[in-house]
Amino acid sequence: MWSWVAHRVTGVLIFFFLFVHVLDTALVRVSPEAYDKVVATYKTPIVALLEYGLVAAILFHALNGLRVIAVDFWSKGARYQKQMLWSVVGLWVVLMLGAVYPVLGHAARELFGS
């Protein structure tokens, strides 16, 4: 049940990110100065945390989507859905731990110095 909710929530969050991304990219055609200001705000530590959340949402959505495909198309998928869910969660945690430095490294250097 909760994986179903999390899959839907992450899908909606990814959709809104893509919507905002298209809008801010289109801003360069309207006002390059405004675009530069928006891009400058993206280099703040708070936005780095939001990027980490985006990575978390995309990664969970993708891994859980593969699990849903396996449940739907594998004849034994329904029988092993709980084990596959815990595998997805475990893999997601490992990959998110691996993404800490690449995604949040700049923010940490910005806050605490090199």
Side-chain angles (χ1 to χ4, degrees):
M1 161 76 178
W2 288 110
S3 66
W4 183 89
V5 172
H7 195 74
R8 281 7 179 227
V9 168
T10 56
V12 169
L13 291 173
I14 294 165
F15 172 78
F16 282 122
F17 162 75
L18 290 173
F19 182 72
V20 170
H21 179 65
V22 168
L23 287 178
D24 73 0
T25 304
L27 188 61
V28 76
R29 308 261 297 142
V30 177
S31 172
E33 296 81 21
Y35 174 78
D36 290 338
K37 288 179 185 177
V38 169
V39 169
T41 63
Y42 291 164
K43 297 177 183 177
T44 62
I46 292 173
V47 174
L49 285 173
L50 293 173
E51 285 177 344
Y52 190 71
L54 176 65
V55 169
I58 291 171
L59 189 58
F60 178 80
H61 193 80
L63 293 173
N64 193 51
L66 292 174
R67 183 189 70 86
V68 169
I69 290 170
V71 168
D72 286 347
F73 292 108
W74 181 33
S75 61
K76 297 179 184 178
R79 184 179 313 150
Y80 295 111
Q81 71 170 333
K82 195 171 196 174
Q83 292 90 338
M84 287 190 291
L85 175 62
W86 286 112
S87 298
V88 162
V89 170
L91 183 59
W92 178 80
V93 167
V94 167
L95 292 173
M96 287 308 298
L97 288 173
V100 169
Y101 181 75
V103 178
L104 296 177
H106 174 71
R109 286 187 298 277
E110 189 81 20
L111 288 172
F112 305 114
S114 296

